[in-house]
Amino acid sequence: MTQQTYRKMWETLDLDLDAHDGLLEVLGKFYGDIYLSQQGRLAGAEYLDFVLSEIHGLRILELREAQAAGRKIVGTFCVFVPEEITIAADAIQVGLCAGAEAGTEQAEQIIPRNTCALIKSFVGFKMAKICPFTESCDIVIGETTCDGKKKAYEAFNELTPTYVMEVPQTKSKAALELWKSEIRRYIAKIEEVTGNTITAEKLKHGIEIANAKRRVLQRLTKLRAASPAPISGRDALLINQISFYDDPERFTTKMNELCDELETRIAGGQGVVDKNTPRLLLSGCPMAVPNWKLPYVTESAGAVIVGEESCIGTRNFRDLVDESGTTLDEMIDALAERYMQIDCACFTPNTERLENVTALAKDMRADGVIHYSLLFCQPYSHEAMKVDKALQDQGIPMISIETDYSMEDVEQLKTRIEAFVETLE
Amino acid sequence: MIAGIDIGSRSMELVVLENGTPVHSRTLPTTFDPLSQCEELLDGIKPSAVVGTGYGRELVKKILERLHPQCPVSTVTEIKAHALGAVHWFPEARAVLDIGGQDTKAMSIKDGRVLKFEMNDRCAAGTGKFLEYTAGVFQIPVDEFGAYALKGDKAPDISAMCTVFAETEATSLMAQGHRPENIALGLHKSIVKRTRNMLGRVGLSSPLVFTGGVAKNPCVLSLLKKELGAKARLLVPDEPDMTGALGAALSALA
Ligand code: SF4
Ligand code: SF4
């Protein structure tokens, strides 16, 4: 595809072409510095490089072609929106990433300044018209998780049609029932948007595709428990990020190939770092493309990241949907149960997360944990303290980092992470 | 001869070790040209190894490449450097508090190893910068600000955490007729309160070694003693601002 075709497409999407060029330039530079500079990468990383280089090109073209053929594009911001249903309705679900500082001034006209960077970014992307994914969406699905997002969706709805799912706040029986009814309400909505009826057979298909994607990500996690670490944390994070916007079946195939390669590496005792490199688990808020700041600082400080306990990480794939259901009702129950296992900090209480983080740190043989919360994120900043205590009880050191997308604190982050790594050596 | 160099935002320090003991130390302001300053700092020194620490630790590598390309250079963070330095003076130390020009760090240590640490974030609240800035409002040299504040007897509450707002608050307290010495005391108190919280988060062990330039401020010192209570032991080395450079040099021996 030529650059010209892409420009035309971006024009059709009504992007602000100058601002968009600026974004692509930053993205390209970051990617070069943070990814392409790595030594001893996997052959399978070629797929990652390709997908990323075509993030606003080929993938958008695919989406546009699908749209021209009558399929609908659904944009989401949270792992609570059931992709199984979107797939069953023959629509395409994409995660709207929101990992860059862009359009902040515009966003601050409609949302308060003390809002987390992720929310500011998705509102900013929309207002500055620089995200072709956002602009391609036929519908955006929000959810009632944290207060910041809840209120932001009200503002967002004025810019683009936003449908909000009611995610419960607790894990009670009543909450499960509420979530089941919300899944049914989403089915009705997506049927209306697409004009397709969701049958048991189609939903089964949707469940299989989503589970297959989760299984390959689980496989990757297991392989990363090997020492020396067979893949960098940066590449693994990118894989998790790409899982939100590439075609799910292609993604699964490519990632299984990459895992095969990893197995060979591990069998040969090969790693991206040497055996004595401190191993760290990241835990906390999701890191969306191109928010690679902390992983980059961490891996430049002589450590390697072996897992991401976040929604762009294990929270997205740890639990599978039970596949034994045959009727629509049974499948909806299975879906609801699976989603209600997500240990998001927006729930109260959320003690499962403490157990899950500790178990993951042990499984991944992590020497320490970096807890990451975005500035102004109440749910995860609160839990940082609880996670710290839970890990301390198990003798696992943790450092709590609070930051955003700006680069002004990079030097301080470096010092803190390096000092943390020093304490582990 | 091992040299430790600590490049901070306000000043840079050099400590030279011979057979594990400090034999020479020196300090210079960082200015806007840290490279030349650091070169001057090293004037006449022929080290066999150099360790850089502090905010400008990467600069040390650059300078050595130019001055002594054969000399091995490494870096450690100021956290580790302060722990090593503090333990050198006081082997019994269980915690270190360092208040420097641009950041404040608190750490708990055991057998010279850092167990847990906290640092202020990008904001200057509670650091040496805060005192420097507010001393400017009183037109008093920062080195005399502590003694000045000790003349106060009734500190008004200063609630602003932000350096800029604290200035505004101080100005409006003056307008309300508070004695300037008391306001100065209030400003010192606000630093100590912040520091105490940070120490609390790493576990407030004793004896606590107080390092960094601000450890020379008599008002901060006396308020901190009061805040920590009679049971806690607070230790200050003779040259608290040299602790980072000393620790850096010592790290080459480990
Ligand atoms: S952290 Fe919570 S709100 Fe955010 S994406 Fe995950 S589940 Fe959704
Ligand atoms: S990072 Fe925190 S504040 Fe931001 S959207 Fe997620 S849960 Fe909400």
Side-chain angles (χ1 to χ4, degrees):
Chain A
M1 271 312 130
T2 64
Q3 215 44 36
Q4 241 168 349
T5 323
Y6 290 162
R7 287 197 84 81
K8 263 229 183 74
M9 172 176 78
W10 296 330
E11 238 168 49
T12 328
L13 284 169
D14 195 25
L15 294 190
D16 177 338
L17 289 183
D18 289 337
H20 180 249
D21 283 348
L23 178 70
L24 284 190
E25 200 186 307
V26 173
L27 192 66
K29 190 180 170 324
F30 267 28
Y31 198 72
D33 291 351
I34 297 176
Y35 280 91
L36 302 177
S37 63
Q38 296 180 92
Q39 301 290 319
R41 272 175 100 206
L42 299 146
E46 230 176 88
Y47 160 74
L48 307 179
D49 293 345
F50 181 71
V51 174
L52 206 94
S53 68
E54 290 290 343
I55 182 170
H56 284 191
L58 206 52
R59 181 61 183 145
I60 299 296
L61 199 72
E62 282 182 350
L63 295 182
R64 301 294 291 166
E65 280 168 4
Q67 247 168 344
R71 295 177 72 190
K72 300 290 178 198
I73 313 292
V74 178
T76 63
F77 297 105
C78 172
V79 297
F80 262 96
V81 180
E83 189 175 8
E84 295 83 350
I85 289 168
T86 312
I87 298 171
D90 198 32
I92 300 173
Q93 183 161 319
V94 289
L96 300 174
C97 48
E101 211 174 26
T104 311
E105 283 110 74
Q106 279 126 303
E108 284 177 1
Q109 291 164 16
I110 61 166
I111 53 171
R113 270 183 54 207
N114 58 349
T115 300
C116 88
L118 201 134
I119 297 173
K120 255 188 216 168
S121 171
F122 78 68
V123 175
F125 271 41
K126 178 74 203 170
M127 293 181 82
K129 298 202 222 169
I130 48 175
C131 176
F133 286 94
T134 310
E135 300 311 317
S136 299
C137 288
D138 295 291
I139 184 168
V140 169
I141 313 291
E143 73 313 309
T144 58
T145 43
C146 68
D147 288 353
K149 281 213 261 179
K150 246 176 352 210
K151 300 311 280 184
Y153 293 134
E154 291 173 19
F156 206 68
N157 188 41
E158 315 242 310
L159 307 170
T160 196
T162 308
Y163 170 91
V164 176
M165 292 185 81
E166 185 174 351
V167 175
Q169 306 277 292
T170 73
K171 300 274 172 91
S172 69
K173 267 199 104 132
L176 178 65
E177 289 312 313
L178 166 65
W179 185 238
K180 276 185 197 166
S181 70
E182 280 299 293
I183 291 181
R184 288 178 192 278
R185 201 166 65 89
Y186 179 54
I187 292 177
K189 181 70 191 176
I190 197 83
E191 284 181 338
E192 173 206 315
V193 170
T194 58
N196 300 330
T197 308
I198 294 181
T199 61
E201 196 189 338
K202 284 184 184 164
L203 186 52
K204 192 170 175 55
H205 175 67
I207 291 175
E208 279 163 7
I209 290 183
N211 269 351
K213 182 158 85 169
R214 290 179 189 124
R215 280 197 189 95
V216 73
L217 289 165
Q218 291 175 349
R219 183 179 170 205
L220 174 66
T221 302
K222 283 215 180 74
L223 293 172
R224 290 170 77 193
S227 175
I231 181 171
S232 72
R234 271 168 278 177
D235 276 328
L237 173 62
L238 185 60
I239 291 172
N240 277 290
Q241 291 171 334
I242 286 178
S243 76
F244 284 89
Y245 66 83
D246 200 20
D247 173 73
E249 290 175 277
R250 172 171 57 208
F251 174 84
T252 304
T253 311
K254 286 289 175 191
M255 283 308 112
N256 270 315
E257 287 168 23
L258 185 133
C259 286
D260 293 342
E261 192 189 345
L262 282 179
E263 268 169 9
T264 320
R265 268 202 180 190
I266 294 166
Q270 263 181 298
V272 282
V273 289
D274 80 42
K275 236 182 149 48
N276 300 321
T277 308
R279 301 164 63 87
L280 298 177
L281 174 71
L282 281 182
S283 166
C285 290
M287 291 180 183
V289 175
N291 179 15
W292 302 308
K293 176 166 91 168
L294 194 56
Y296 179 55
V297 167
T298 305
E299 298 200 327
S300 305
V304 64
I305 295 168
V306 294
E308 299 74 26
E309 189 271 338
S310 89
C311 281
I312 303 186
T314 50
R315 236 192 299 292
N316 181 38
F317 58 76
R318 190 191 52 227
D319 311 305
L320 298 175
V321 178
D322 182 277
E323 291 179 10
S324 62
T326 50
T327 66
L328 215 45
D329 284 342
E330 284 168 353
M331 285 183 230
I332 291 171
D333 285 354
L335 276 175
E337 273 155 28
R338 183 266 166 195
Y339 279 88
M340 287 300 277
Q341 286 176 49
I342 297 175
D343 51 354
C344 167
C346 295
F347 283 87
T348 183
N350 187 34
T351 36
E352 314 91 278
R353 176 159 175 243
L354 305 180
E355 288 148 33
N356 290 334
V357 181
T358 323
L360 186 65
K362 287 184 182 162
D363 289 348
M364 303 313 287
R365 298 195 260 166
D367 300 304
V369 175
I370 299 183
H371 193 282
Y372 159 79
S373 33
L374 279 172
L375 221 57
F376 308 124
C377 171
Q378 291 282 342
Y380 283 92
S381 304
H382 266 276
E383 291 204 350
M385 301 183 203
K386 296 196 171 148
V387 173
D388 191 16
K389 183 149 187 318
L391 288 169
Q392 228 173 56
D393 290 346
Q394 302 288 318
I396 304 167
M398 182 194 110
I399 182 173
S400 172
I401 298 286
E402 218 172 77
T403 182
D404 56 18
Y405 296 167
S406 73
M407 288 296 150
E408 62 183 42
D409 63 344
V410 164
E411 287 306 319
Q412 259 153 333
L413 280 182
K414 271 189 193 157
T415 302
R416 298 177 67 172
I417 303 284
E418 276 176 34
F420 183 59
V421 173
E422 278 170 356
T423 67
L424 304 173
E425 275 162 357
Chain B
M1 201 195 304
I2 297 170
I5 302 176
D6 180 358
I7 304 191
S9 61
R10 199 165 164 264
S11 63
M12 53 177 76
E13 287 82 27
L14 164 80
V15 168
V16 178
L17 293 182
E18 228 156 313
N19 304 321
T21 23
V23 292
H24 173 75
S25 69
R26 225 178 143 185
T27 176
L28 283 176
T30 303
T31 73
F32 283 113
D33 186 8
L35 280 173
S36 327
Q37 290 296 94
C38 186
E39 224 170 277
E40 199 184 320
L41 196 68
L42 278 165
D43 192 36
I45 310 274
K46 290 209 170 40
S48 58
V50 174
V51 185
T53 188
Y55 182 71
R57 59 190 177 283
E58 293 299 327
L59 281 183
V60 176
K61 283 190 183 162
K62 252 198 216 160
I63 293 153
L64 263 288
E65 233 164 68
R66 216 162 63 203
L67 292 182
H68 307 283
Q70 308 302 332
C71 175
V73 197
S74 55
T75 57
V76 292
T77 65
E78 45 269 50
I79 309 281
K80 184 172 177 180
H82 277 269
L84 288 172
V87 171
H88 178 84
W89 299 125
F90 306 105
E92 71 275 34
R94 291 300 309 276
V96 181
L97 169 68
D98 165 58
I99 309 187
Q102 159 169 293
D103 42 23
T104 299
K105 330 173 203 6
M107 56 200 109
S108 56
I109 55 178
K110 198 177 175 190
D111 307 324
R113 283 187 68 92
V114 177
L115 298 179
K116 208 165 173 57
F117 67 92
E118 284 276 339
M119 259 175 97
N120 65 309
D121 46 32
R122 55 188 110 180
C123 163
T127 70
K129 193 97 212 148
F130 179 88
L131 285 177
E132 201 184 313
Y133 191 82
T134 49
V137 179
F138 292 80
Q139 292 174 323
I140 290 175
V142 65
D143 302 336
E144 292 161 30
F145 197 35
Y148 179 78
L150 276 178
K151 286 190 244 157
D153 51 13
K154 212 166 135 265
D157 241 356
I158 309 244
S159 52
M161 298 218 242
C162 163
T163 309
V164 178
F165 286 140
E167 183 197 343
T168 317
E169 210 173 330
T171 323
S172 72
L173 284 167
M174 272 186 213
Q176 287 166 29
H178 285 271
R179 274 176 61 212
E181 291 87 343
N182 282 341
I183 300 170
L185 184 64
L187 289 166
H188 280 74
K189 264 202 168 151
S190 83
I191 281 215
V192 171
K193 244 193 288 170
R194 252 184 107 80
T195 307
R196 142 91 235 204
N197 291 344
M198 198 183 268
L199 280 168
R201 286 199 295 272
V202 299
L204 253 198
S205 318
S206 166
L208 168 73
V209 181
F210 189 9
T211 67
V214 175
K216 290 188 196 162
N217 179 312
C219 185
V220 172
L221 199 61
S222 96
L223 290 173
L224 189 62
K225 261 193 196 135
K226 239 183 260 160
E227 188 72 43
L228 295 179
K231 268 201 238 129
R233 271 175 71 207
L234 186 62
L235 306 166
V236 184
D238 287 340
E239 292 184 309
D241 40 353
M242 292 293 169
T243 316
L246 171 68
L250 289 167
S251 76
L253 301 174

